[in-house]
């Protein structure tokens, strides 16, 4: 129960990670601090008078047992830095969160974790690369860590879920869904991994939260893979955190004509390891690839359609019909079957791209 009192303090404006640790150290535990009288709080000189007054006002309004019951009902768990289940990689970073809130299950101490991050307005190429790498790394035992955002993040989570586990680190409370279209994705992640935040449940999204969130993404991971990032972007902030934390940085190269490749190509120039397949990551950590492949055999008509599609540029049904000489109804049916098998991905305007996967070209 002590961790819920710590969480209650965490909800007081002006008490950050350092303040939480000072409270616990001074009073010998969060519960003791919660029930400390006014005189003891002010005489401790841990905080300014303003923050002490905020704390006392907050304490009058909060029922810790009620909060605990509400969070448990939502399947929200708490983990403090002193708990055994707190991720070791994150614990060994500069100023780690004193408390984590999460839905799902955290990785074990001996599990491998790798971050995949990149642009929100990603291209089909970028999302394809993220999904492929995440799926193959998850199949080989990696937990894939990302930020739950649109674009590369969502593709990485979805790819990892096909074969294994993933962690979404949010810039809001774990019960606040952002972007809203990712509600089902977050629920699936909580079932096969974890949705994590350093912010208390109910905390709304704020722009200032995302840079801080990025340090947790890199801190949870042995290394960070950047896929599509502008020269000034959140993904490069994550790469900087990874370097500061002594972690590896990898980058997937992109077109020299694309603004979304300026950041990744810059990282490669600066010494980041170039990645064009999951084997590059597996070799780095001396892990054997999972060679068990799904059945990717295609019929003649399926191969006709699949060979027309691109990994990067979505192609419409009319163009596919022209190139294959198949009827629109046959093309539509086969595209649906390929999409259900995870071999193609439908884009806006009834356009399709290949989904990158080993064992089929």
């Amino acid at each position: 129960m002590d961790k819920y009192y710590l969480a209650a303090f965490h909800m007081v404006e002006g008490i950050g990670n350092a303040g939480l640790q000072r409270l616990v150290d001074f009073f010998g535990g969060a519960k003791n601090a919660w029930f400390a009288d006014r005189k003891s709080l002010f005489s401790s000189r841990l905080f300014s008078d303003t923050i002490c007054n905020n704390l006392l006002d907050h304490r009058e309004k909060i029922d810790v047992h009620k909060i605990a019951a509400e969070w448990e009902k939502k399947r929200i768990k708490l983990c403090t830095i002193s708990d055994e289940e707190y991720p070791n990689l994150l614990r060994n970073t500069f100023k780690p969160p004193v408390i984590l809130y999460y839905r799902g299950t955290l990785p074990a101490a001996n599990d491998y974790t790798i971050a995949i991050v990149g642009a929100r307005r990603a291209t089909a190429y970028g999302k394809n690369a993220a999904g492929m790498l995440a799926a193959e790394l998850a199949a080989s035992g990696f937990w894939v860590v990302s930020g739950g955002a649109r674009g590369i993040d969502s593709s990485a989570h979805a790819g990892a879920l096909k074969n294994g586990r993933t962690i979404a680190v949010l810039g809001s409370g774990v019960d606040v869904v952002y972007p809203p279209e990712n509600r089902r994705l977050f629920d699936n992640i909580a079932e096969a991994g974890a949705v994590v935040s350093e912010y208390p449940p109910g905390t709304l999204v704020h722009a200032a939260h995302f840079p801080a969130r990025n340090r947790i993404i890199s801190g949870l991971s042995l290394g960070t893979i950047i896929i599509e990032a502008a020269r000034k972007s959140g993904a490069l902030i994550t790469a900087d955190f990874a370097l500061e934390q002594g972690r590896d940085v990898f980058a997937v190269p992109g077109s020299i004509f694309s603004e979304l490749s300026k950041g990744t190509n810059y990282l490669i120039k600066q010494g980041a390891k170039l990645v064009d397949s999951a084997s590059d990551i597996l070799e780095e950590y001396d892990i054997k690839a999972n060679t068990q492949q799904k059945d990717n055999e295609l019929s003649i008509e399926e191969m006709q359609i699949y060979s027309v599609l691109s990994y990067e540029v979505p192609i419409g049904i009319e163009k596919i019909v022209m190139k294959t000489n198949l009827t629109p109804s046959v093309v539509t049916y086969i595209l649906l079957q390929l999409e259900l098998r995870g071999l193609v991905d439908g884009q806006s305007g009834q356009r399709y791209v290949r989904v990158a996967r080993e064992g089929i070209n």
Side-chain angles (χ1 to χ4, degrees), residues 158-226:
L161 287 171
K162 293 177 181 178
N163 296 323
R165 296 179 177 273
T166 182
I167 300 172
V169 184
L170 307 187
S172 63
V174 294
D175 56 342
V176 176
V177 178
Y178 183 82
E181 65 268 23
N182 277 1
R183 179 176 298 279
R184 179 176 292 181
L185 177 63
F186 289 174
D187 287 343
N188 291 339
I189 292 171
E191 290 294 323
V195 177
V196 175
S197 178
E198 67 173 322
Y199 301 106
T203 303
L204 300 178
V205 173
H206 191 281
H209 294 170
F210 290 104
R213 182 265 326 247
N214 292 345
R215 88 188 192 287
I216 298 178
I217 293 174
S218 59
L220 284 167
S221 310
L222 291 166
T224 297
I225 305 170
I226 311 296

Side-chain angles (χ1 to χ4, degrees), residues 59-313:
R59 195 167 67 176
E60 292 297 317
K61 300 172 185 176
I62 293 294
D63 183 334
V64 175
H65 288 274
K66 184 178 179 181
I67 285 178
E70 289 176 354
W71 291 351
E72 287 174 6
K73 188 176 180 180
K74 294 180 178 179
R75 297 183 178 180
I76 296 172
K77 305 171 188 175
L78 280 66
C79 177
T80 71
I81 196 167
S82 60
D83 291 335
E84 186 177 344
E85 63 267 29
Y86 193 96
N88 280 331
L89 284 172
L90 184 60
R91 183 187 279 119
N92 294 325
T93 60
F94 180 66
K95 292 184 179 180
V98 173
I99 186 167
L100 289 176
Y101 307 87
Y102 66 100
R103 295 167 52 214
T105 305
L106 295 173
N110 59 346
D111 285 335
Y112 287 89
T113 49
I114 192 83
I116 298 178
V117 296
R120 286 177 170 82
R121 295 182 180 178
T123 65
Y125 163 77
K127 289 187 280 189
N128 234 328
M132 179 193 73
L133 290 172
E136 293 170 12
L137 290 169
S140 295
F142 273 95
W143 288 59
V144 175
V145 184
S146 197
R150 296 182 178 98
I152 298 299
D153 290 16
S154 292
S155 295
H157 290 307
L161 287 171
K162 293 177 181 178
N163 296 323
R165 296 179 177 273
T166 182
I167 300 172
V169 184
L170 307 187
S172 63
V174 294
D175 56 342
V176 176
V177 178
Y178 183 82
E181 65 268 23
N182 277 1
R183 179 176 298 279
R184 179 176 292 181
L185 177 63
F186 289 174
D187 287 343
N188 291 339
I189 292 171
E191 290 294 323
V195 177
V196 175
S197 178
E198 67 173 322
Y199 301 106
T203 303
L204 300 178
V205 173
H206 191 281
H209 294 170
F210 290 104
R213 182 265 326 247
N214 292 345
R215 88 188 192 287
I216 298 178
I217 293 174
S218 59
L220 284 167
S221 310
L222 291 166
T224 297
I225 305 170
I226 311 296
I227 303 175
E228 289 197 327
R231 186 63 183 82
K232 293 182 178 180
S233 62
L236 261 63
I237 292 174
T238 309
D240 287 341
F241 278 126
L243 292 171
E244 290 172 7
Q245 293 161 345
R247 309 296 166 77
D248 300 315
V249 174
F250 308 90
V252 173
S255 167
I256 63 172
F257 302 109
S258 171
E259 285 298 319
L260 289 177
S261 298
K262 298 292 186 185
T264 51
N265 293 348
Y266 167 79
L267 288 174
I268 293 168
K269 289 180 185 178
Q270 297 301 307
K273 181 172 180 177
L274 186 152
V275 171
D276 61 15
S277 71
S279 62
D280 295 320
I281 305 297
L282 299 177
E283 288 171 6
E284 188 74 16
Y285 299 109
D286 196 23
I287 297 173
K288 291 184 178 179
N290 183 346
T291 55
Q292 184 177 355
Q293 296 290 336
K294 295 182 179 179
D295 180 16
N296 290 328
E297 187 175 343
L298 300 179
S299 68
I300 294 174
E301 289 183 334
E302 287 173 337
M303 182 55 78
Q304 275 185 276
I305 292 174
Y306 191 79
S307 62
V308 166
L309 298 176
S310 162
Y311 288 118
E312 301 181 42
V313 182

Side-chain angles (χ1 to χ4, degrees), residues 333-353:
Y333 174 77
I334 291 177
L335 284 170
L336 175 60
Q337 299 306 307
L338 292 175
E339 190 168 15
L340 290 172
R341 290 167 62 184
L343 297 175
V344 305
D345 184 42
Q347 308 281 303
S348 61
Q350 289 192 307
R351 298 177 303 154
Y352 294 83
V353 292

